[in-house]
Amino acid sequence: MVFILSVSRKWSYAPGAVAVYICILGCLYTGRWFCRKWLLNGKWAGLLLLLVISLIGYDIVGLTIFVYLFGQDVPLNHLIESSITIMSCSFIVMFCGFFIAVIRSAIREKMNGLMLAEQKKRE
């Protein structure tokens, strides 16, 4: 957001920058939540269903922001290209959220294992 505003030097881009920032954070935390709730518990069907639904939802939100920022008379081919880009970026950011959750879970398990080993040594 700071980068967009500092490069453009137009405060008219501020609502769009804030909206993009919120969508990125939303995708990241959605990915982390999906991973903890569904992926780490082995519930693949629920994960895939929610992933598709959330990607469609983020795509609709992203296209709404796109139309709001660039006007209502956007050509159809630009909307289709933007839809593909938004969905791809949303998936990548959600995957980053998955990755963060998996790494944190692995670190947590490793720490718990080390703490148990240390407690057994003391006894």
Side-chain angles (χ1 to χ4, degrees):
M1 182 173 86
V2 171
F3 176 74
I4 291 171
L5 294 176
S6 65
V7 170
S8 68
R9 302 210 187 266
K10 292 184 181 178
W11 286 101
S12 62
Y13 291 152
V18 169
V20 168
Y21 182 71
I22 290 171
C23 286
I24 289 172
L25 284 179
C27 286
L28 187 67
Y29 282 103
T30 300
R32 286 183 60 204
W33 185 76
F34 283 170
C35 183
R36 284 184 296 187
K37 184 80 172 170
W38 303 94
L39 183 66
L40 295 177
N41 294 330
K43 299 176 182 176
W44 291 93
L47 172 68
L48 292 176
L49 179 67
L50 285 175
L51 183 64
V52 169
I53 290 171
S54 64
L55 284 174
I56 291 170
Y58 280 118
D59 191 43
I60 291 170
V61 170
L63 285 176
T64 304
I65 294 168
F66 181 77
V67 169
Y68 171 75
L69 292 177
F70 297 109
Q72 281 72 23
D73 55 344
V74 178
L76 182 62
N77 62 340
H78 287 197
L79 286 177
I80 293 171
E81 291 171 2
S82 297
S83 176
I84 292 169
T85 303
I86 291 167
M87 202 169 286
S88 301
C89 291
S90 296
F91 180 76
I92 290 169
V93 174
M94 278 189 202
F95 182 77
C96 290
F98 284 165
F99 185 72
I100 290 169
V102 167
I103 295 297
R104 288 184 73 187
S105 175
I107 290 172
R108 220 178 262 133
E109 286 180 20
K110 183 73 172 175
M111 294 291 287
N112 288 340
L114 291 172
M115 289 173 73
L116 284 173
E118 187 177 317
Q119 285 178 352
K120 286 184 180 181
K121 273 185 180 179
R122 289 182 185 172
E123 294 176 357

